[in-house]
Amino acid sequence: MNIAATGVKFGQSVKRQEDGRFLRGKGKYVDDMILPGQLYAAFVRSPMAHARITGLDLDGPAGMPGVRRILTGQELVDAGLPALPCGWAITSRDGEPMKVGVRNALAVDRVRYVGEPIALVVAETQAQARDAAEAVMVDYEDLPASVDVLDATADSATLIHDEIAGNCAFDWELGDEAAADVAFADAAHRIALTLRNNRLVPNAIEPRAINAQWDAGSEELTVYMTHQNPIGMRMFYAAAFGLASEHKLRMVSPDVGGGFGSKAHNYPEEVAVTFASKLVEGPVKWTADRSEAFLTDAHGRDHLTDVELALDSEGRFLGLRADTQANVGAYLSSSGSLVPTYMYATMLSGQYAIPAIHARVRAIYSNTCPVDAYRGAGRPEASYVIERIVDVAARELGIDPAEIRRRNFIREFPYQTPVVYEYDSGDYEKTLDAALELADYPGFAARKAESEARGKLRGIGVAAYVEACGIGPSGKLAKLGGGAGMWESAEVRVHPVGTVEVLTGAHSHGQGHATTFAQVVSDRFGVPMENISVIQGDTARIQAGTGTYGSRASVGMSATLRACNQIIEKGKKIATHLMEVDYDAVEFDDGIFSSKDSNVTIAFAEMAFAAHAASGFPTDEIEPGLVATSFFDPPEFTYPAGVYVCEVEIDPDTGTVEVASFCAADDFGNVANPMIVEGQVHGGVTQGIGQALWENALYDPDTGQLMSASFMDYGMPRAGGVPDYQLVFSGTPSPSNPLGMKGCGEAGAIGSPPAIINAVCNALGVRHVDMPATPEKIWRLCQQKEAN
Amino acid sequence: MYEFTYHRPGSLEEARKLISEDDGQPLSGGQTLMPVLRARLAMPTALVDLTRLEELKGVNLEGDRVVILGATTHADVASNALVREHCPALAELASGIGDPQVRYRGTIGGSVANNDPAACYPTACLALDAEIRTDRRSIPAREFFTSMFDTALEHGEIVTAVSFPTCQHAHYEKFPNPASRFALIAVFAAKLGGQTRLAVTGGGTGVFRWQEGEQAADSGGSLAAAALSEAYFTGDLHASTEYRMHLTRVIAQRALTALG
């Protein structure tokens, strides 16, 4: 039974274990599930951007076929259901706590964005629920709507929440304003720029879905919900909403078809459906259609920023000031206050030693869908601000864009920035050199000439990003206003035959945890991949956890490693009895326990059996079984960084921007599975190109209607519209976790938008172009250039 | 989606009855109709699926005409040997409609009957003087496309085929809307009987022949200077009227250049 170890290694490009079932259509999603006695929900939604509800007629619809119940916002309030919480407390500059507009699960008296849910119909079929929802007559008294921060902060703007002056949730600052002012006063050069970070729709392939089942007998609530953090949601549903006691609440997120952050939040619809399940005492299902997803999945970005950079005569950075108005939508979503503050302003140092930084952020309510975390969440906004202003500075001071960055890089780690974070590790010059080499930077002039010969304008863009991810550390987050721990837990269960289950509170919604988490185990135990299961997403099975967002799988993988190490320690203890040697003399390598003091060797599977047979060691000293649990709270964030170099080719006759090449050099520390990490970079960069060139959640300023509310009008990136990416990983291991990993899930979306826009500006010879750089916008710039 | 009855008739005759007598809505690929139904923007009582009718599928060569039957998918047109040999530009046009999923469902009959103002096929029909054959008559393309989303079809009339002249001198140039991949502006250019034809889609009001452009091309003039009526164009969130008019000139010129 001495089985040879056939494990894979951490760092190996193992094929994704989960793809077989996804590619064959055998994944299991919430909407696939039909429970006995299944009922269906549909929402009555506001067609108005801002209005008072003056009448709600439910009598007709209540009597329609199959209708079981119609629920209104007032009923939820009367039943004591609390408003939706915003999970991060921000304090304004004047010491005032942030002003939170009350967000009920169903609107009461007033609607504040198109698509806001007003009432919920439960019926026996989905069609019946929709028919009845359509038949609900709502009377509105129209109110003026503001969709943009400039409109919402105008003196004439109508207050969106009557009690919140100036539609301003908070006016917050970070950094040292006086020090920044001194830096600017002494500066040889001051460069200023105003830029917008366009609003995005997340567009996960699988829309939001829930199936809530209340058991009136046992008073147990089971909620199947597509979510990135089911265990956290159980706590919210129990503690914040009182929907059931936490020990009687089971939350299950089966396969989840993409999230990008949009499935990490608390949404009103899911709370209302769960409440309805209790009223009708049966399972109630709701799956958003694509139109609902466009209108109500929390949007991303939407910043307006004035930024200034102070430089000395040599082009060294002396200070940075940023004044940002963040459009938070009609209400503060779950992390709506966190994203534009501690996820954003803390990153404004970029890869540079900037002695003085000051940021001011005003969070502005508007009559739009609430804004929350979306791939990168605050960090793409920061990266865009700094990498654009640095590029403008290079252009205006006549310094090469790569050189101005090199001249200002942070070179010693750890490095304390003036805006909270202490970067753990990195070698920024090394990633710059790697990217420039990959991109054949010196060869650009020849390529530009070749493009010109074909009547095209070629531009090159460089962007250097750094980001903080891999959250926790819980203690540091608490000091910044966080309320919940952000560790991760793993339980590793070794069965008597040597197969292994890993139970993790992390939740893959596309990342490939079934492969990478298993790789940690396979590498450590020497167990083949097919003998390892990674289990996630069910509070009835998983001990504890805090979910997947903020590129934090390294936390769960570190917990997994630690649990594996506990198993090996226990195996060694058992081995001392089986091999009759001292503990210190036992070694474990390549799946075999051995000792220089004994000719007995024990394979991992044999040890698994021995631990359960419990006959070869004293069970009063060593407990039987082979199970270990670890909770890992990282001591610090991880700080992945990289340099992206891209080239665009512009057709001046039509304004079309083609991304001709895209080279990425990323420092992700130790990489668990290069193939999967490449996929993460491909996806992130593609989303960033989408933001830079096509994507735009555009609200009509007069009516407050979302104009780009379908794939007919919202420009998603497509495989055909992006180049073959050239990637290189240049790793400096992170000291913040035992695997030396840094997050990789969001990097591509953080670094690529400024790289693209820098290249577009370079091609056109202009100072700035706001995203998205659509053909008509570029054509008009080409026309202006010709006219001049 | 509202409730409706789905019919899959076994013959054109049966389909005619279901459509004329039972007020059925013809379904010929559904690449426009199905999203409309899913969004509950239409409420037909019955759908009559024409795409299973073998008598409406395929391509025939009738003398100097390429005749594409109504329920032939874009993918089949794109790959059809007769089309590729006798009217290659049409195969190229079909190969660029939507995406592969659309091309394997959408049909030529469905496309021309719908007459989306940004659809591809109507340009080829107009530029090449196609005949749209129905279960009742044959309609010249210039009379068929009346205004956007409207045609000369009478109630219950079914497109059974579209007949094109064989043509080696044609080219379809499309500037796709980055979101929908419909034409933001597209031009079908052809030489027919020694004369240049330029049919434009995507302007906003429906497909049209740009006759001033055709005259300019035939007289050796410049398209840039040719008159172009603003009445054919509208602006929206994707492109202003001015930009669409500019694109029309650029794309038409590219189509002509490709034509040689």
Side-chain angles (χ1 to χ4, degrees), chain A residues 708-723:
Chain A
S708 48
S710 82
F711 292 128
M712 292 295 281
D713 294 313
Y714 186 89
M716 291 295 281
R718 293 162 191 252
V722 299

Side-chain angles (χ1 to χ4, degrees), chain A residues 537-574:
Chain A
D538 183 348
T539 60
R541 300 182 73 182
I542 309 300
Q543 59 291 338
T546 62
T548 292
Y549 39 83
S551 303
R552 64 185 305 273
S554 59
V555 183
M557 289 169 74
S558 297
T560 303
L561 175 72
R562 285 182 159 199
C564 289
N565 288 341
Q566 290 177 42
I567 297 275
I568 290 166
E569 288 311 303
K570 183 165 179 182
K572 284 183 175 177
K573 284 182 192 160
I574 294 171

Side-chain angles (χ1 to χ4, degrees), chain A residues 605-659:
Chain A
E606 292 175 306
M607 178 58 74
F609 190 79
H612 289 86
S615 52
F617 55 90
T619 54
D620 57 344
E621 192 184 304
I622 306 171
E623 292 179 3
L626 210 50
V627 175
T629 300
S630 172
F631 284 63
F632 178 68
D633 192 40
E636 185 46 88
F637 301 91
T638 71
Y639 296 92
V643 174
Y644 294 168
V645 181
C646 80
E647 291 184 22
V648 299
E649 199 176 77
I650 290 173
D651 178 347
D653 293 334
T654 62
T656 307
V657 178
E658 186 199 330
V659 183

Side-chain angles (χ1 to χ4, degrees), chain A residues 465-709:
Chain A
Y465 77 89
V466 57
E467 58 132 334
C469 61
I471 52 177
S474 302
K476 290 191 179 182
L477 289 166
K479 280 185 194 149
L480 304 180
M486 290 194 184
W487 39 266
E488 194 46 83
S489 89
E491 183 171 309
V492 174
R493 297 179 182 167
V494 182
H495 304 145
V497 293
T499 56
V500 184
E501 283 177 333
V502 183
L503 296 98
T504 173
H507 196 290
S508 176
H509 42 289
Q511 290 83 350
H513 292 178
T515 306
T516 51
F517 282 54
Q519 269 181 271
V520 172
V521 175
S522 183
D523 181 318
R524 202 72 192 92
F525 292 163
V527 170
M529 290 289 280
E530 60 267 29
N531 286 356
I532 303 164
S533 293
V534 178
I535 295 161
Q536 64 171 19
D538 183 348
T539 60
R541 300 182 73 182
I542 309 300
Q543 59 291 338
T546 62
T548 292
Y549 39 83
S551 303
R552 64 185 305 273
S554 59
V555 183
M557 289 169 74
S558 297
T560 303
L561 175 72
R562 285 182 159 199
C564 289
N565 288 341
Q566 290 177 42
I567 297 275
I568 290 166
E569 288 311 303
K570 183 165 179 182
K572 284 183 175 177
K573 284 182 192 160
I574 294 171
T576 62
H577 296 278
L578 302 180
M579 296 159 74
E580 298 181 335
V581 296
D582 290 341
Y583 176 82
D584 291 340
V586 181
E587 289 175 4
F588 179 74
D589 221 1
D590 282 338
I592 308 284
F593 291 90
S594 65
S595 171
K596 61 180 172 31
D597 299 336
S598 167
N599 55 9
V600 176
T601 61
I602 305 167
F604 182 79
E606 292 175 306
M607 178 58 74
F609 190 79
H612 289 86
S615 52
F617 55 90
T619 54
D620 57 344
E621 192 184 304
I622 306 171
E623 292 179 3
L626 210 50
V627 175
T629 300
S630 172
F631 284 63
F632 178 68
D633 192 40
E636 185 46 88
F637 301 91
T638 71
Y639 296 92
V643 174
Y644 294 168
V645 181
C646 80
E647 291 184 22
V648 299
E649 199 176 77
I650 290 173
D651 178 347
D653 293 334
T654 62
T656 307
V657 178
E658 186 199 330
V659 183
S661 68
F662 198 104
C663 300
D666 289 292
D667 175 0
F668 295 134
N670 295 336
V671 171
N673 181 321
M675 182 194 71
I676 284 179
V677 173
E678 283 168 14
Q680 289 289 321
V681 176
H682 287 185
V685 170
T686 302
Q687 279 177 307
I689 292 174
Q691 167 165 29
L693 297 183
W694 306 296
E695 295 187 48
N696 203 21
L698 184 69
Y699 280 93
D700 184 302
D702 298 323
T703 63
Q705 297 293 325
L706 183 62
M707 307 290 283
S708 48

Side-chain angles (χ1 to χ4, degrees), chain A residues 321-342:
Chain A
R321 287 193 290 225
D323 186 344
T324 294
Q325 296 183 74
N327 189 339
V328 295
Y331 303 96
L332 278 173
S333 180
S334 306
S335 300
S337 59
L338 167 67
V339 171
T341 53
Y342 289 108

